[in-house]
Amino acid sequence: KHRLSFRGAMDTLFYDKINKDLVMPVSNRIFPSLTNSKQIENMILDHGGIDLLIGGIGINGHVAFNEPETEETSMETYKNRSVRVVKISPETMITNGINEFDGAYEFMPGYGITIGFKEILSAKKIRLYCFRNWHKMVVRKASFYPPSVTFPVTLLQGTDTRIGIPECLAD
């Protein structure tokens, strides 16, 4: 029910806009929850991975709320994390609060449920879209910083990942 719910956004901004005769049944729409992490993991494995993953990048390099960690966390540990509850970082809370609540970051939830890098890295193609002015910095870091859990999107280097940027931000 939360305004920033991925499930709610998919319903109102996507599924509800498709002709009812053409849209996939609700029973085929699977979102991460507290009870279905193994179901999602097994479904992805049973289908040979994800064909196409579409998303964005957070100001601190997070992908799907996989927030940065300290260098004490190994890349292998980070890459093998699956569906789970995550604590939203202060940077993400403030940035999203500015973008979504006109600066009222206190309305941001402190936790989210997300897929992990294990699922993200199973994707054959990854397409990330960046549309805010601050994304210029994020794209530079994603492209040129060495892979690190301190800026998670860098872990996608070497995969079939493309970043889309609107022309107005390309300069």
Side-chain angles (χ1 to χ4, degrees), residues 12-81:
T12 59
L13 300 174
F14 185 71
Y15 294 124
D16 291 349
K17 296 185 184 288
I18 299 173
N19 180 308
K20 301 292 181 221
D21 296 329
L22 302 175
V23 71
M24 68 182 346
V26 173
S27 60
N28 288 358
R29 304 175 199 174
I30 299 167
F31 296 91
S33 75
L34 294 173
T35 60
N36 71 353
S37 61
K38 283 296 176 203
Q39 175 191 4
I40 290 174
E41 197 173 337
N42 291 335
M43 183 181 305
I44 291 169
L45 286 172
D46 291 347
H47 288 88
I50 296 169
D51 291 325
L52 174 64
L53 184 134
I54 299 171
I57 310 170
I59 197 162
N60 56 10
H62 79 249
V63 179
F65 287 127
N66 288 279
E67 298 283 1
E69 295 193 17
T70 63
E71 291 175 350
E72 285 87 42
T73 301
S74 75
M75 282 196 270
E76 284 312 304
T77 296
Y78 196 92
K79 288 178 176 181
N80 282 305
R81 292 206 174 121

Side-chain angles (χ1 to χ4, degrees), residues 109-154:
Y111 293 86
I113 301 173
T114 189
I115 61 172
F117 254 75
K118 182 176 182 179
E119 290 79 22
I120 292 168
L121 289 168
S122 80
K124 294 171 185 74
K125 294 180 182 180
I126 300 169
R127 301 299 179 258
L128 303 173
Y129 296 92
C130 297
F131 49 89
R132 301 194 188 281
N133 283 332
W134 52 261
H135 273 124
K136 292 176 184 180
M137 172 275 304
V138 169
V139 171
R140 280 193 299 275
K141 287 183 175 183
S143 302
F144 300 113
Y145 275 36
S148 172
V149 299
T150 63
F151 205 78
V153 70
T154 59

